[in-house]
Amino acid sequence: MGSACGAPRAAFRTSRNSLIKFCNSCGASVTHRVPEGDTLHRAVCDACGAIQYENPKVVVGCIPVKGDRILLCKRAIEPRYGLWTLPAGFMENGETLAEGAMREAMEEAHAQVEMDELYAVFSVPHISQVHMMFRARLVNDDFRAGLESLEVKLVTAEEIPWHELAFTVVRRTLEHFLEDRARGHFVPHFDEIRAPVR
Amino acid sequence: MGSACGAPRAAFRTSRNSLIKFCNSCGASVTHRVPEGDTLHRAVCDACGAIQYENPKVVVGCIPVKGDRILLCKRAIEPRYGLWTLPAGFMENGETLAEGAMREAMEEAHAQVEMDELYAVFSVPHISQVHMMFRARLVNDDFRAGLESLEVKLVTAEEIPWHELAFTVVRRTLEHFLEDRARGHFVPHFDEIRAPVR
């Protein structure tokens, strides 16, 4: 990585572009300003003193594998309706990363999986997300489309629909996985995905 | 990891114990219920339809190293006022993991660091946090206590105040680091920290 310290602060998005208008503790209007002792704009309630912080969200998922095949899900929801993805979604309060990845495999593909290592971690700063993908093994063949999937299927490397993948994270995770598998050695991958320049 | 799939859902904390009382979009009262198409309780606004999701927060930090010494910070804030920690804090919107870890080193210790690998990842489900610690190199000796630190110093392995460390994450990260350094080979560590049984 080796990036220099003191990254420019101006590029960070703050509560200036927040959608928060009211205090969720007392219902009064909030103001967006830098609270005392802080360095970033926050949604501050001058009535009750509460501060609503907005922080990045974690997306957890996995690469469910059976033999030489990988389980993919065709999305039944926006964004990227009809495109293919690995089972993944927002981590919930009270769960571990592995529990979240298992829950998502169950919800999206009714897939029972056993988790292996945390395999790929992606910072996606332009949408304030961190994606964490595990390697995983399908326990049985009893999988089927969940509510958020149109179709679920096992594919070989040759059958991966590269031009119909839903997200850059999915493409990069699959690329890392296939390269590592080909050389017979899996190592964790840490990466950043920046917004395309328009 | 190899944990079985289908972890019990009842253990997950939901918005049932949320502090959210009002919609932060329109200011109306919220109800806590499972929205259509969802599986968990959320803070739902029946007036405008907005849903306030509560998700785990990411804590980013690093192990700043100079030669054989490690930079530690004595906390000037609660919790754990007066105890020692590695520079770390909540990740902010719009930044990468590495940028967040650099920002925290600057805020807490005015320390200029260059990031190496993501080194340790901890799920801490009872407080709905994920901690991500990098290995890092101090660029110079120009560090000093930031607003959130009483004191900042470089310590050797023998000087680490093991009984005055602020958090389990800090202790485990330092243990992993020293073990790996002793055998001359650093590998990423993925771990879970559960609430102590009382």
Side-chain angles (χ1 to χ4, degrees):
Chain A
M1 218 155 294
S3 24
C5 61
R9 297 293 296 276
F12 292 2
R13 279 180 301 170
T14 70
S15 80
R16 284 174 197 272
N17 51 10
S18 164
L19 299 174
I20 297 177
K21 298 198 185 84
F22 296 91
C23 175
N24 61 12
S25 292
C26 79
S29 292
V30 298
T31 54
H32 291 267
R33 59 180 172 81
V34 181
E36 196 179 323
D38 202 339
T39 56
L40 295 176
H41 278 69
R42 314 285 182 187
V44 180
C45 178
D46 292 312
C48 78
I51 299 173
Q52 286 178 72
Y53 293 93
E54 295 174 273
N55 297 92
K57 289 194 194 297
V58 176
V59 173
V60 281
C62 69
I63 315 159
V65 170
K66 184 99 193 255
D68 69 340
R69 293 182 299 166
I70 298 165
L71 192 75
L72 293 182
C73 306
K74 193 172 192 174
R75 288 174 65 83
I77 52 172
E78 295 293 351
R80 315 293 166 86
Y81 179 99
L83 297 182
W84 292 88
T85 189
L86 291 163
F90 288 116
M91 187 182 184
E92 298 283 359
N93 276 359
E95 66 187 7
T96 64
L97 290 162
E99 287 168 352
M102 285 190 293
R103 177 182 49 71
E104 289 293 337
M106 180 55 68
E107 286 180 8
E108 298 190 359
H110 293 282
Q112 297 201 359
V113 293
E114 287 189 349
M115 286 295 144
D116 290 317
E117 293 78 30
L118 179 58
Y119 179 62
V121 176
F122 300 92
S123 293
V124 196
H126 64 284
I127 51 172
S128 296
Q129 293 182 356
V130 179
H131 290 241
M132 320 267 284
M133 304 296 290
F134 288 77
R135 291 198 298 122
R137 284 159 287 120
L138 266 176
V139 173
N140 54 44
D141 286 326
D142 183 26
F143 58 83
R144 59 196 155 82
L147 284 178
E148 297 178 4
S149 304
L150 296 169
E151 184 184 347
V152 173
K153 67 177 177 184
L154 284 167
V155 298
T156 62
E158 294 70 33
E159 292 166 345
I160 290 172
W162 292 105
H163 297 289
E164 294 168 44
L165 294 180
F167 304 107
T168 304
V169 165
V170 173
R171 178 174 57 76
R172 291 238 195 129
T173 301
L174 290 170
E175 286 170 351
H176 288 317
F177 180 85
L178 295 176
E179 282 171 24
D180 283 358
R181 189 173 71 175
R183 59 178 188 158
H185 181 54
F186 290 98
V187 294
H189 296 268
F190 306 116
D191 216 342
E192 297 175 4
I193 294 175
R194 302 281 181 174
V197 178
R198 292 177 197 281
Chain B
M1 214 153 294
S3 25
C5 61
R9 297 294 298 277
F12 292 2
R13 279 180 302 170
T14 70
S15 82
R16 284 175 197 271
N17 50 12
S18 164
L19 299 175
I20 297 177
K21 298 197 184 85
F22 295 92
C23 175
N24 60 12
S25 291
C26 80
S29 293
V30 298
T31 54
H32 292 268
R33 59 180 172 81
V34 180
E36 196 179 323
D38 203 337
T39 57
L40 295 176
H41 277 68
R42 312 284 184 189
V44 181
C45 179
D46 292 313
C48 78
I51 299 173
Q52 285 178 74
Y53 294 92
E54 294 174 273
N55 297 92
K57 288 193 194 300
V58 176
V59 173
V60 280
C62 70
I63 315 160
V65 170
K66 185 97 194 258
D68 67 341
R69 292 181 300 165
I70 298 166
L71 191 76
L72 293 183
C73 307
K74 193 172 192 174
R75 288 174 65 82
I77 52 171
E78 295 293 352
R80 316 293 165 87
Y81 179 98
L83 297 182
W84 292 88
T85 190
L86 292 162
F90 288 115
M91 187 181 184
E92 299 283 0
N93 276 358
E95 66 187 6
T96 65
L97 290 163
E99 287 168 350
M102 285 190 292
R103 178 182 49 73
E104 290 292 338
M106 181 55 67
E107 286 181 7
E108 299 190 358
H110 292 282
Q112 298 201 0
V113 293
E114 287 189 349
M115 287 296 145
D116 291 317
E117 293 78 31
L118 179 58
Y119 179 63
V121 176
F122 300 92
S123 292
V124 196
H126 64 284
I127 50 172
S128 295
Q129 291 181 357
V130 179
H131 289 242
M132 321 267 284
M133 304 296 291
F134 288 77
R135 292 200 296 123
R137 285 158 288 121
L138 267 175
V139 173
N140 55 44
D141 287 325
D142 183 24
F143 58 82
R144 59 194 156 85
L147 284 178
E148 298 179 3
S149 305
L150 296 170
E151 185 185 346
V152 173
K153 65 177 178 185
L154 283 167
V155 297
T156 64
E158 293 70 32
E159 292 166 345
I160 291 173
W162 292 106
H163 296 291
E164 293 169 44
L165 294 180
F167 304 107
T168 304
V169 165
V170 174
R171 179 174 57 75
R172 291 235 195 129
T173 301
L174 290 171
E175 286 170 351
H176 288 315
F177 180 84
L178 295 176
E179 282 171 25
D180 283 358
R181 189 174 71 176
R183 58 178 189 161
H185 181 53
F186 290 98
V187 294
H189 295 269
F190 306 116
D191 216 341
E192 296 175 5
I193 293 174
R194 302 282 182 173
V197 178
R198 293 177 196 280

